[in-house]
Amino acid sequence: MSTRLVRCLTTPIDREDLLRVSHAVDGGTHVLHEFVREFDLYGPTSPDRLVPLTQGIVGLVAGLRTAVSGLVNHRRSPAADVAGTHLAAAALERAHQEQMVALVTAPATGESLRMLALLGRLDQVRVQLLLATDALADGAMKRGL
C-alpha cells in the first residue's frame, strides 16, 4: 500500500526536469503552429520537400511519447527510448541539411526563400523536441532509472 501511495505522490522525475520537458514541448508546439501558419501563408509550390521532415517530427513526438509513457508507467528505464529519439533527431537533422544544400545550390528565388523559412521552422521544432528528450534523460538519470 505504501509503495502505491508513494508512486501517486511523487513524479518519476523531479519538478525542475519536468518543467524543462514541459517548456520544450510547449515551445515545439508553438513553433509548429507558426510553421502551419506560414505554410498556409506562403503556399509553397513544392511542399513534397517538407514531407520527410514532417514525418521525422512525427517520429520524434512518438519516441518522446513512448519514453514518457514508459517512465510514468514504471515499465522500464527510458534510456533505450531516449537513445532512439536522439537517433531519430540526428536522422532528421541530416534530412534537414540535405534540403538546405539543395536550396542553397539552386538559384535564389522568392520560392526558395519561403522554403528556407519553412525548413527553419521545422528545424526549430526538432531542436525543441531534442531539448525535451534531454531534460527527460537528465531527470531519469538523477532518479537512477
Side-chain angles (χ1 to χ4, degrees):
M1 178 72 167
S2 64
T3 306
R4 192 176 207 183
L5 185 62
V6 166
R7 280 204 274 173
C8 291
L9 297 177
T10 61
T11 59
I13 60 175
D14 64 15
R15 291 178 304 178
E16 291 82 14
D17 292 316
L18 192 59
L19 184 65
R20 285 177 49 210
V21 171
S22 174
H23 280 298
V25 169
D26 186 47
T29 304
H30 175 73
V31 174
L32 195 55
H33 177 267
E34 291 298 311
F35 167 79
V36 170
R37 186 184 64 78
E38 289 174 358
F39 184 88
D40 285 341
L41 179 68
Y42 297 155
T45 57
S46 57
D48 54 327
R49 298 178 82 171
L50 300 171
V51 170
L53 299 173
T54 54
Q55 288 174 338
I57 288 173
V58 169
L60 280 177
V61 170
L64 186 61
R65 183 177 183 269
T66 301
V68 169
S69 175
L71 187 64
V72 169
N73 294 327
H74 302 284
R75 287 194 318 250
R76 63 184 182 276
S77 171
D81 297 328
V82 168
T85 305
H86 273 277
L87 289 174
L92 186 57
E93 184 177 14
R94 282 189 301 277
H96 176 263
Q97 289 172 351
E98 290 171 4
Q99 291 296 331
M100 292 295 287
V101 167
L103 278 176
V104 171
T105 56
T109 63
E111 174 69 15
S112 64
L113 292 176
R114 288 188 290 273
M115 190 61 75
L116 184 67
L118 292 171
L119 287 171
R121 289 287 187 199
L122 289 176
D123 194 50
Q124 289 173 349
V125 174
R126 178 193 62 83
V127 168
Q128 289 296 318
L129 293 175
L130 196 55
L131 288 173
T133 303
D134 288 341
L136 186 65
D138 289 348
M141 197 167 46
K142 286 178 190 174
R143 292 279 170 111
L145 300 175

